[in-house]
Amino acid sequence: MFALVHDGVIFLKVDEQSAPAFDREGLEPFSYARGGERASLTSYRRMPDRLYDDPDELVAWARTALAAAGRSGAGKRRAAKRAVTKRAATKRATRSRKSQGA
């Protein structure tokens, strides 16, 4: 997911590489009410208002957000793959011990 819309406002995905552009613009992170308090999701920042009138620049920012989402997803996929590999190794070791009469 590279963007979200809340109350008519677009928020774009950010990461370490793209956050400086949002910082320069002073764009706040996505926040919402949760249990009577404000919570924020710092990996999404408000899109600059000027982009609503500048489709070419909007495309550039959207591509940057898509790249950030891809980088984020790649890390999650690697972690999931490691977890599956670890579980498979544990199962093999358990079967081996059982077959050896342990």
Side-chain angles (χ1 to χ4, degrees):
M1 187 168 92
F2 76 97
L4 61 89
V5 178
H6 179 71
D7 286 340
V9 178
I10 298 173
F11 293 83
L12 299 173
K13 178 74 172 169
V14 300
D15 64 2
E16 289 179 357
Q17 291 181 29
S18 61
F22 289 86
D23 292 339
R24 283 190 298 274
E25 300 265 347
L27 300 165
E28 72 271 7
F30 171 66
S31 66
Y32 57 98
R34 182 176 75 186
E37 296 184 16
R38 295 300 296 171
S40 65
L41 187 57
T42 58
S43 60
Y44 289 86
R45 299 267 194 99
R46 184 184 182 108
M47 184 180 83
D49 288 338
R50 71 175 185 283
L51 299 185
Y52 290 99
D53 297 321
D54 188 343
D56 293 331
E57 191 175 4
L58 172 57
V59 167
W61 282 71
R63 285 185 176 144
T64 300
L66 184 59
R71 288 186 293 268
S72 172
K76 290 177 185 177
R77 285 189 298 272
R78 282 193 296 273
K81 185 175 181 179
R82 282 192 301 270
V84 168
T85 302
K86 186 176 179 179
R87 282 193 302 272
T90 301
K91 285 181 181 179
R92 283 193 302 275
T94 301
R95 281 194 302 260
S96 176
R97 283 193 298 270
K98 286 181 179 178
S99 68
Q100 294 173 359

